[in-house]
Amino acid sequence: MSNPIRVALADDHVFVRDGIKSLLENEANIVVVGEATDGVEALKMVEIKQPDLLILDIRMPNLTGIEVVEKLRGQNNQVKIVMLSMHESEEYVLKSIKAGADGYLLKGSSKEEFLKALLTVSDGGKYFSGDISSILIGQLTNPTASKVSKQVIDEELLITKREKEILTLLLSGKGNKEIAEALDISKRTAEVHRFNLMKKLKVKNLMELSNKATEHALI
């Protein structure tokens, strides 16, 4: 019988850690060897416990999950890492991939998907849940990724799938009401997405938005 996968947990919410431990406690091939409540503790825990796999919350105090991944990879630490997040966002996924994470899992995932992700990553594979293009993942994990993809990452002009839809409709001349109807969302939700998009891209009007979208190939 092979040795169980030694898993460490890093999340600042105790109920999340307890939930994961409860989910894993009956798995004969997985054992939880350590816990951390923030990014700094996570780094110390990995050094001391030397787990096979680290389940890492993407948003934590002191150091974020992505910063923890960057530091571990900078130390040439090859521990397998699965990011845990509430956000089904291309931005977080792309930054996680760039940092060196092996997987990205949503906190609302089923037990079956959770276990599948851990086993896949433990076996040397990659696992990314959520609505993200497999082609995009292929580009970003490939050293010969397209110039456009690298430019978007370098500039941190990372927009979600929904924001990209909003951007496309805005640049086609649609107003908030028309965007809401096209995407089957409320007018207020469309307004919020529009505000967030323009704030993220640091533009003040549609002309600036159009110029930035064209310059950085966002659509």
Side-chain angles (χ1 to χ4, degrees), residues 44-56:
K44 292 179 180 177
M45 176 181 62
V46 170
E47 181 181 0
I48 295 170
K49 299 294 185 179
Q50 298 187 358
D52 302 313
L53 190 151
L54 174 63
I55 300 174
L56 187 61

Side-chain angles (χ1 to χ4, degrees), residues 1-144:
M1 181 177 177
S2 60
N3 293 328
I5 303 167
R6 303 175 73 255
V7 173
L9 313 175
D11 195 296
D12 57 321
H13 295 102
V14 64
F15 70 88
V16 173
R17 300 197 308 274
D18 287 348
I20 295 174
K21 286 190 295 184
S22 176
L23 184 150
L24 299 178
E25 64 183 1
N26 293 322
E27 299 300 317
N29 59 340
I30 298 176
V31 59
V32 176
V33 297
E35 298 179 52
T37 62
D38 63 35
V40 173
E41 283 187 11
L43 290 175
K44 292 179 180 177
M45 176 181 62
V46 170
E47 181 181 0
I48 295 170
K49 299 294 185 179
Q50 298 187 358
D52 302 313
L53 190 151
L54 174 63
I55 300 174
L56 187 61
D57 186 15
I58 203 164
R59 300 183 68 178
M60 292 187 297
N62 297 326
L63 290 174
T64 68
I66 290 174
E67 289 171 331
V68 171
V69 178
E70 290 172 341
K71 287 184 179 296
L72 287 171
R73 296 308 185 226
Q75 298 166 2
N76 201 32
N77 190 309
Q78 297 304 306
V79 61
K80 303 296 184 183
I81 301 174
V82 173
M83 306 300 290
L84 196 60
S85 175
M86 294 178 60
H87 305 283
E88 189 174 4
S89 162
E90 284 186 7
E91 177 176 358
Y92 285 122
V93 175
L94 292 175
K95 287 185 176 181
S96 297
I97 296 171
K98 183 184 178 185
D102 301 289
Y104 188 99
L105 196 61
L106 297 176
K107 288 187 176 180
S109 299
S110 66
K111 177 179 180 180
E112 290 73 21
E113 182 177 26
F114 200 96
L115 293 175
K116 179 180 179 182
L118 299 191
L119 295 175
T120 298
V121 169
S122 178
D123 286 340
K126 304 288 184 181
Y127 193 95
F128 298 90
S129 68
D131 186 14
I132 181 168
S133 167
S134 59
I135 295 176
L136 186 55
I137 292 175
Q139 288 179 330
L140 293 171
T141 54
N142 188 329
T144 59

Side-chain angles (χ1 to χ4, degrees), residues 164-213:
K164 189 170 184 178
E165 292 172 340
I166 297 287
L167 176 61
T168 301
L169 291 168
L170 279 173
L171 296 184
S172 68
K174 304 294 185 184
N176 291 331
K177 183 179 179 181
E178 294 169 303
I179 290 173
E181 293 174 350
L183 299 179
D184 194 25
I185 58 178
S186 70
K187 183 180 177 182
R188 173 60 180 162
T189 299
E191 292 171 349
V192 170
H193 278 305
R194 177 174 178 164
F195 173 82
N196 290 338
L197 176 64
M198 297 185 76
K199 181 179 179 181
K200 178 181 290 187
L201 298 183
K202 299 178 182 179
V203 297
K204 298 177 181 178
N205 52 54
L206 287 177
M207 180 63 72
E208 291 182 3
L209 181 65
S210 177
N211 290 340
K212 181 153 286 190

